[in-house]
Amino acid sequence: MPVYDEKTPGWLNSRPARNKDQEKEVLDWIEAVTGEKLPAAPYEDVLKDGVVLCNLINKIAPDSVKKIQTKGTNFQLMENIQRFQAAIRKYGVPDEEIFQTADLFERRNIPQVTLCLYSLGRITQKHPEYTGPRLGPKMADENKREFTEEQLRAHEGQLNLQMGYNKGASQSGHGGFGNTRHM
């Protein structure tokens, strides 16, 4: 819940709102990739112990997570999340898009978890060995172009209209220094 601080105007600790449609899309994608039916539970509860996430990355990139704790203490279950994070980092998900363990396990920032999983779905498109279901929009293909030196210099003789048109302009009447202002 956002907190208002009277010393500093504005709301503090505010996070993006959760998007239930995106969360459902993520869960549907996980089911499609893993081939397993997920439990009918809230989004964060399905993902909380990291088991589903580890199974997901192992389907995308086999043997990414060697050991998955299905039972144990909170600390042992949090290790699943950390193993998942290490695996997706190695797979190519940027650090700034990877959620913190507490974001999921302690439900601090569930939208960041969703962003991370969308990022993973996007990165799978860069790996030709991955042929499974897609998550999110298709990535743009590279459209590299080659220009000759002549083509690059062709515009140099043209006057860009954004530069203005100065025909007839002069500085007469702009004697701003030393003149007195008449009121």
Side-chain angles (χ1 to χ4, degrees):
M1 175 168 211
V3 178
Y4 188 76
D5 182 3
E6 291 177 317
K7 294 176 191 164
T8 309
W11 289 92
L12 303 175
N13 302 326
S14 60
R15 290 196 170 82
R18 290 177 62 173
N19 184 325
K20 297 293 185 184
D21 292 336
Q22 286 181 338
E23 291 175 4
K24 181 180 179 339
E25 189 177 355
V26 166
L27 292 177
D28 290 345
W29 177 68
I30 292 171
E31 281 186 350
V33 171
T34 62
E36 298 173 18
K37 181 76 176 142
L38 297 176
Y43 178 74
E44 60 274 19
D45 291 344
V46 171
L47 303 177
K48 181 180 177 178
D49 62 8
V51 173
V52 168
L53 297 174
C54 289
N55 289 335
L56 172 65
I57 192 61
N58 279 342
K59 285 287 187 177
I60 293 171
D63 298 322
S64 294
V65 177
K66 306 279 189 237
K67 182 180 177 187
I68 302 172
Q69 289 287 140
T70 55
K71 295 178 187 161
T73 64
N74 284 350
F75 180 75
Q76 290 170 320
L77 297 176
M78 286 170 68
E79 284 181 338
N80 286 338
I81 297 171
Q82 292 165 351
R83 290 181 186 117
F84 167 76
Q85 292 164 328
I88 64 172
R89 186 173 287 115
K90 185 177 176 187
Y91 192 70
V93 176
D95 280 340
E96 59 274 7
E97 294 182 358
I98 297 175
F99 62 92
Q100 299 294 313
T101 304
D103 290 343
L104 174 58
F105 202 81
E106 297 174 10
R107 298 181 172 121
R108 288 189 185 167
N109 192 354
I110 299 300
Q112 184 64 34
V113 175
T114 304
L115 172 78
C116 176
L117 291 169
Y118 264 92
S119 181
L120 175 61
R122 184 183 72 243
I123 298 298
T124 61
Q125 296 178 36
K126 289 184 176 181
H127 291 267
E129 70 277 0
Y130 177 78
T131 57
R134 302 277 185 229
L135 175 65
K138 182 181 183 300
M139 287 185 68
D141 296 326
E142 184 179 39
N143 189 5
K144 195 167 187 159
R145 297 179 179 148
E146 299 288 331
F147 293 101
T148 65
E149 195 65 31
E150 183 181 319
Q151 288 172 317
L152 291 173
R153 299 206 183 282
H155 76 283
E156 288 179 359
Q158 300 172 358
L159 178 65
N160 187 339
L161 291 178
Q162 287 182 336
M163 292 179 187
Y165 182 73
N166 65 358
K167 187 171 186 177
S170 74
Q171 291 184 351
S172 65
H174 279 318
F177 292 107
N179 287 347
T180 57
R181 187 169 176 197
H182 303 287
M183 298 184 132

